[in-house]
Amino acid sequence: MIVVMKPGAGPEHIQHVVDLVHEFGLEDHVIYGTDRTVIACLGDKRMLEKDAIENAPMVEKVVPILAPYKMASLEVKREKTTIAIGPQQFPIGGVKVGVIAGPCAVESRQQVLDTAEAIKAAGAIGLRGGAFKPRTSPYAFQGMGKAGLDLLAEAREKTGLAIVTEVIGTEQVALCANYADVLQIGARNMQHYPLLEAVGRVNKPVLLKRGMSASLDEFLLAAEYIIHAGNPNVILCERGIRTFESYVRNTLPLAAIPALRERTHLPIVIDPSHGTGHAHMVPAMSLAAVAAGADGVILECHPDPEHAASDGAQSITPQTFSNLMDRLRRVAQAVDRDL
Ligand code: PEP
Ligand code: MN
């Protein structure tokens, strides 16, 4: 259940409720909103002591939770969460739509720096690029590892872009957190619970990709793991799901945007590259994502897609990216957003 405090409730009132919550054998998670503070009560005895807590000073109401996730839920926090990323603290989740672009994998200094300069000039706020790649085949390019992270850091230094990079194992969390501004959890790892807990213990925003066969409830419960471990800064990323269709690599369900909006306060970002698998579909789906209310788009952009070490077929060129940004700006304006 959730205890909603009245506006103006002080630290002593909040502490009193927290003490009651502990007395009833539940865990507390205090969320400070702009208007009021709410206290999520975590544990199995959810409905038991509702009346007692309702009587405590400065408590407005006690609401039973219906969703299986709590801290990720709109029932706990009504206002949208805004997460500031990178050296320039670009906000994701506010009025501005944030665009993140870059290669699937970091391949060379020239590739990363050229891409970074080009997308920055076109108005991107973040540079994506995997240094550790989760590949289907053990014989495929596995990424440059730490050398790739160094190149991403150099690109951040030169451009001010926020660095988004994937962490594929718990043993790399500390290293990646040292370099990245946003830690990406890939679709294949959405239910890697020890990894979710490990990124939940670091002080860096997390971009959580939806598993290719995960329901929205499972997606939000994965976000809940990260928040429960102590990190409230989770950005949800829809990247397409497996269906019977073969004209796309994955089917990109843009209806996930309004569906998630109804359930969660967390920012929602769309990945039209993995969501389609084809570069020529990426601009249309990016525009549609912003029109449907996405807080951001993350897409693959490569200076030479034909020679990309991974995901070349779905990577757009910097020139296409620049044209797309001009059109995205107009769509953003049409839906009362900014870019
Ligand atoms: C990626 O972003 O390059 C990637 C591997 O994505 P996903 O986990 O969505 O497949
Ligand atoms: Mn990729």
Side-chain angles (χ1 to χ4, degrees):
M1 65 192 175
I2 306 162
V3 182
V4 182
M5 303 301 290
K6 290 183 178 157
E12 69 281 13
H13 303 117
I14 294 164
Q15 190 55 48
H16 179 65
V17 171
V18 167
D19 291 343
L20 281 175
V21 167
H22 292 174
E23 206 176 294
F24 298 141
L26 303 174
E27 257 183 78
D28 73 281
H29 184 86
V30 182
I31 298 160
Y32 299 94
T34 45
D35 298 339
R36 59 187 81 223
T37 298
V38 301
I39 300 155
C41 312
L42 312 174
D44 284 339
K45 294 196 279 177
R46 281 195 283 172
M47 293 298 298
L48 282 186
E49 323 296 346
K50 182 174 181 305
D51 293 351
I53 292 181
E54 221 155 43
N55 258 332
M58 294 304 278
V59 168
E60 184 170 290
K61 60 184 172 184
V62 178
V63 193
I65 293 254
L66 304 174
Y69 38 87
K70 302 181 186 75
M71 276 98 79
S73 162
L74 266 188
E75 295 171 37
V76 165
K77 182 168 177 280
R78 295 299 310 172
E79 72 267 22
K80 281 180 67 181
T81 290
T82 301
I83 300 175
I85 66 165
Q88 301 186 6
Q89 295 285 282
F90 295 112
I92 302 255
V95 174
K96 271 188 172 307
V97 174
V99 179
I100 299 161
C104 179
V106 177
E107 296 165 13
S108 72
R109 184 162 185 272
Q110 178 115 37
Q111 173 231 25
V112 172
L113 297 185
D114 285 356
T115 309
E117 298 287 356
I119 63 163
K120 169 76 185 181
I125 64 160
L127 173 69
R128 61 146 292 149
F132 298 95
K133 294 303 301 176
R135 303 306 301 279
T136 303
S137 163
Y139 307 114
F141 177 57
Q142 302 288 312
M144 289 178 73
K146 182 173 174 309
L149 296 176
D150 284 319
L151 294 177
L152 289 169
E154 188 181 344
R156 169 178 47 214
E157 198 62 40
K158 289 202 153 72
T159 60
L161 291 168
I163 299 300
V164 182
T165 198
E166 180 166 355
V167 51
I168 61 177
T170 50
E171 66 286 359
Q172 290 143 357
V173 170
L175 174 70
C176 291
N178 239 336
Y179 284 84
D181 297 302
V182 179
L183 291 168
Q184 176 176 324
I185 299 292
R188 290 156 191 80
N189 274 322
M190 190 206 82
Q191 287 176 309
H192 181 171
Y193 299 116
L195 182 58
L196 299 179
E197 284 171 344
V199 297
R201 289 191 292 268
V202 301
N203 189 21
K204 283 286 160 83
V206 175
L207 182 103
L208 175 67
K209 291 192 139 195
R210 179 184 181 181
M212 58 190 86
S213 62
S215 68
L216 285 193
D217 270 1
E218 288 164 339
F219 189 20
L220 289 166
L221 281 165
E224 188 83 5
Y225 261 91
I226 300 170
I227 304 172
H228 182 244
N231 187 346
N233 296 319
V234 181
I235 301 164
L236 300 171
C237 177
E238 171 60 77
R239 48 77 74 205
I241 51 175
R242 278 267 165 96
T243 71
F244 51 84
E245 276 298 1
S246 58
Y247 74 97
V248 279
R249 177 179 176 188
N250 292 287
T251 296
L252 184 63
L254 291 179
I257 300 167
L260 286 168
R261 233 3 135 222
E262 226 177 30
R263 292 165 170 76
T264 182
H265 50 86
L266 298 172
I268 303 161
V269 164
I270 297 294
D271 175 349
S273 306
H274 296 86
T276 61
H278 301 288
H280 76 93
M281 297 180 179
V282 167
M285 296 315 281
S286 304
L287 295 165
V290 172
D295 296 306
V297 174
I298 180 167
L299 54 81
E300 289 184 340
C301 176
H302 194 290
D304 183 9
E306 289 177 8
H307 295 100
S310 64
D311 286 351
Q314 66 193 32
S315 299
I316 61 173
T317 61
Q319 184 57 57
T320 302
F321 179 74
S322 174
N323 296 341
L324 171 60
M325 287 296 278
D326 291 339
R327 298 168 70 202
L328 277 175
R329 224 164 260 124
R330 299 205 296 275
V331 172
Q333 265 162 23
V335 293
D336 303 323
R337 304 288 289 263
D338 202 2
L339 188 139

